[in-house]
Amino acid sequence: MDHSAHQTGTAHDPAAHEGHHGHADHAMSHGAHGRVSWAMAAKATLHCLTGCAIGEILGMVIGTALMWGNVPTMALAITLAFLFGYSFTLFAVRRAGLDFKTAIKVALAADTVSIAVMEIVDNTIIALTPGAMDAHLSDGLFWFALLGGFAVAFLITTPVNKWMIGRGKGHAVVHAYH
């Protein structure tokens, strides 16, 4: 992946990342795709997980409050997880000056696989935890299954993100625009 030119046509200076929020360790990987730190992969995964968790919890709360069944509640939670997951990246790249159409493309390229893996893992854990699908928001089992699912999803998604970033895919796409 060539980071020598940006949307504005200016040269890319990895050293410029030194003070940039949470991106000092990205400078190392810009030159060689194979050298991606676990810390960088974990940060990308945590960024993605934050949006997913907000969306998924909100979806579960809304579905439960409306007394929907499991399937519509999970569908809403997954939809909102993707929406919030993408929105974190979308807002960041819009602040960097990308037009809306390009920003959407970058967010989709950066986060789709990460969010999909997280949602598959998290929702599988919730579905397989006995009683979790029928637990209410006030039940410890609901929160144990949900938060446990997020933790396992983080552990499984981090190596996926490390592999993708190392090949100039996933979260690495975002760094071409700041």
Side-chain angles (χ1 to χ4, degrees):
M1 179 157 82
D2 180 14
H3 290 296
S4 62
H6 285 264
Q7 196 77 345
T8 61
T10 59
H12 179 74
D13 178 13
H17 286 289
E18 288 307 317
H20 192 63
H21 173 68
H23 292 87
D25 62 334
H26 290 291
M28 174 194 73
S29 72
H30 281 291
H33 291 301
R35 296 184 300 169
V36 177
S37 71
W38 282 103
M40 182 193 313
K43 285 179 185 178
T45 305
L46 187 58
H47 168 90
C48 213
L49 180 63
T50 302
C52 287
I54 291 169
E56 190 157 334
I57 291 169
L58 184 60
M60 295 285 193
V61 168
I62 291 169
T64 301
L66 296 175
M67 297 174 19
W68 289 357
N70 291 335
V71 173
T73 298
M74 284 187 88
L76 177 63
I78 292 167
T79 299
L80 291 177
F82 273 92
L83 181 68
F84 278 83
Y86 288 139
S87 69
F88 276 32
T89 299
L90 182 67
F91 292 131
V93 295
R94 287 282 292 145
R95 274 194 313 262
L98 265 64
D99 63 281
F100 191 71
K101 184 177 178 181
T102 304
I104 288 174
K105 289 178 182 178
V106 169
L108 291 172
D111 294 333
T112 298
V113 172
S114 184
I115 295 171
V117 170
M118 277 188 225
E119 286 303 300
I120 290 167
V121 172
D122 178 52
N123 285 288
T124 299
I125 288 171
I126 292 169
L128 295 177
T129 301
M133 293 295 292
D134 296 319
H136 297 279
L137 294 175
S138 60
D139 294 337
L141 179 61
F142 170 82
W143 294 103
F144 174 78
L146 185 64
L147 298 177
F150 288 151
V152 174
F154 177 83
L155 293 174
I156 291 174
T157 307
T158 299
V160 172
N161 281 334
K162 185 177 188 309
W163 181 83
M164 289 178 58
I165 294 167
R167 280 144 190 81
K169 309 275 186 217
H171 192 73
V173 174
V174 173
H175 296 285
Y177 297 98
H178 65 204

